[in-house]
Structure formats: structure tokens, C-alpha cells
Amino acid sequence: MVSLPVGVAAAERLTRTCRTETIWRRRVFPAVLVAAVLLVVAFVVDSVRDDARHTVVTLLVALVLAVVVLAGRLALNLRRSPHHPREVKGDVYLRDVDREAVEIWIGLNPAGAIKIIDG
């Protein structure tokens, strides 16, 4: 394992972001899935009963849930440290990495596995 040398503030931000991401994946996302399933069941029941008033309420609740989830995800993405790894099309990008750490990573991986992009 190779460490990523960062300052105290960046390390704290990275730790907070990772902790929040874990809470999102383990608690919030499953709760949203359960709520979505319940909304689908409620929508089907309302449709079978031909109850337009309840169907509209169910759709509004689903819309509010979607907006809250998207806003939460956006807020998590904005809290990320610049040092936080990002996956883009199967590649993992790290910004502002110490050159010595990159050289160690290059030595530990097969040739061509790690590319240095300056800029």
C-alpha cells in the first residue's frame, strides 16, 4: 500500500468525505430504495383503485424524493477533496499527487498501468 501525502486540512476533508460516502452507501441509499419500492406499490394500488387524487400525491412524493436524493448526491460531490480519486471511463484519476508517491506507484505496477498527466 502506498500512502498519499497530503496536508492536515486535506486529510481531514478526505476523511470526512469518505465517512459521508460510507453513510450514504450503507444507510441512505438502501432507505431510498425501500422508499422507492413503497412508492411503486402505492402507485400500483392507487392505479388499480382508479384513485387519481392519491396517485397525484404518490407522484409528488416520488418527485420530492428524487429531488432530495439528487441534491444530496450533488452536495456529496461538491464536498470532495481535490485529492479524492475519481473514476472516468474505467481510469482512476488523482490530482495534485506528490511526485515521489507517483514514482513509487509506477514502480509497484506493471509498465503502462500508471500515466502521469501534467496540467
Side-chain angles (χ1 to χ4, degrees), residues 1 4-5 7-8 14 24 28 34 38 54 80 97 100 105:
M1 179 175 200
L4 177 62
V8 174
L14 185 60
W24 180 270
V28 176
V34 169
L38 292 174
H54 285 116
R80 286 181 157 223
V97 177
E100 291 176 25
W105 287 346

Side-chain angles (χ1 to χ4, degrees), residues 28-110:
V28 176
F29 188 72
V32 168
L33 285 179
V34 169
V37 168
L38 292 174
L39 284 169
V40 168
V41 169
F43 181 75
V44 169
V45 169
D46 291 342
S47 296
V48 169
R49 287 183 175 176
D50 199 24
D51 189 353
R53 192 180 76 216
H54 285 116
T55 302
V56 169
V57 170
T58 303
L59 289 174
L60 286 174
V61 170
L63 181 63
V64 168
L65 179 66
V67 168
V68 168
V69 168
L70 288 174
R73 189 68 245 174
L74 179 63
L76 280 175
N77 287 344
L78 291 175
R79 287 185 58 180
R80 286 181 157 223
S81 165
H83 299 289
H84 204 96
R86 296 184 190 274
E87 182 182 353
V88 179
K89 296 180 182 178
D91 293 329
V92 177
Y93 290 90
L94 294 168
R95 296 188 319 190
D96 302 328
V97 177
D98 181 59
R99 186 62 95 173
E100 291 176 25
V102 173
E103 297 299 330
I104 294 171
W105 287 346
I106 289 173
L108 293 173
N109 287 281

